Amino acid sequence: MTEIEAQDWVRQRVDALAFDRMISFVDMVVTENSRQNLISPATIPAIWDRHVVDSLQLIEMAGGAAGRWLDIGTGGGFPGMVLAIAGCSPIMMVEPRRKRADFLAESIERLSLTDAKIAASKVENIEWTADVITARAVASVEKLLIAAAHCATKTTRWLLPRGTVDASSLPALCARHQLVFHVEQSLTRSDSFILVLEPRA
């Protein structure tokens, strides 16, 4: 997907205000990246494809933007800020690195995202229950499930973008946590996947 195609893909899925905010946020990330490493510099020329579309595709897998969201390890704002801009609210973003958390807090304020919050903390210390939990390439799946267990409910859906997925380990892992899983192909890279975990019926 080219950058023009990626922008068109995003434009078709959000309203005009949200799209303008996406443009502003991308500019903020690129500018801030010269001060701190929010994203790999090599991905800046493809930021709409590699980061914005990659984040926004999660909404469809969640069944829509409604409900309470939690994004663990938001880093430079992906997927949390993109989800917040697209209307996933309320959303709590968790980023333990203070400098990155400060950037996210400033971005939330500048973009007037009233239902978005940032916590400069580890998820273990967060008091927040979510209908959807996202975490983009953060820790192992089992560590995430343990660390954020107190934030999940009996209906929480976990959306976990991963570079690769070891499907052989998932049945036993899901059995321990009373979950079922399936794997979705990422729109942005043929070798990337989104692991979707849901409570057993």
Side-chain angles (χ1 to χ4, degrees):
M1 188 180 293
T2 68
E3 287 295 89
I4 292 174
E5 290 170 339
Q7 289 184 34
D8 286 342
W9 188 92
V10 173
R11 189 183 286 109
Q12 292 168 16
R13 286 162 176 81
V14 299
D15 62 29
L17 175 59
F19 188 72
D20 286 345
R21 284 171 166 166
M22 292 284 188
I23 293 173
S24 296
F25 180 64
V26 166
D27 289 342
M28 290 178 205
V29 171
V30 172
T31 299
E32 182 67 18
N33 217 57
S34 64
R35 292 187 281 268
Q36 59 171 315
N37 189 33
L38 300 174
I39 60 175
S40 168
T43 66
I44 289 177
I47 190 170
W48 282 86
D49 175 41
R50 292 287 300 276
H51 298 288
V52 180
V53 171
D54 195 61
S55 299
L56 194 60
Q57 67 178 326
L58 299 179
I59 294 178
E60 184 175 342
M61 296 177 194
R68 290 168 61 87
W69 291 69
L70 171 66
D71 184 44
I72 303 169
T74 305
F78 306 103
M81 283 295 297
V82 170
L83 297 173
I85 292 168
C88 299
S89 66
I91 185 168
M92 171 68 75
M93 289 171 271
V94 179
E95 175 48 55
R97 288 162 288 192
R98 170 59 67 178
K99 195 173 180 182
R100 291 188 178 190
D102 288 345
F103 165 72
L104 295 171
E106 180 184 353
S107 300
I108 288 169
E109 183 175 356
R110 288 176 62 183
L111 296 172
S112 302
L113 300 175
T114 56
D115 283 334
K117 302 179 185 299
I118 174 68
S121 173
K122 292 184 177 180
V123 71
E124 289 91 337
N125 302 322
I126 297 301
E127 294 184 9
W128 183 268
T129 54
D131 300 298
V132 183
I133 296 176
T134 60
R136 189 185 190 212
V138 177
S140 70
V141 175
E142 183 151 32
K143 285 181 179 178
L144 278 170
L145 293 176
I146 293 170
H150 64 290
C151 299
T153 71
K154 293 181 179 179
T155 59
T156 296
R157 181 176 294 181
W158 302 69
L159 303 176
L160 309 178
R162 320 296 290 180
T164 58
V165 174
D166 179 11
S168 65
S169 67
L170 291 174
L173 173 62
C174 288
R176 287 197 297 274
H177 292 274
Q178 297 297 301
L179 298 168
V180 294
F181 77 92
H182 67 274
V183 178
E184 296 282 351
Q185 171 74 56
S186 173
L187 292 175
T188 59
R189 296 186 65 181
S190 61
D191 58 350
S192 293
F193 304 90
I194 296 94
L195 176 60
V196 182
L197 302 170
E198 297 176 285
R200 290 185 176 181

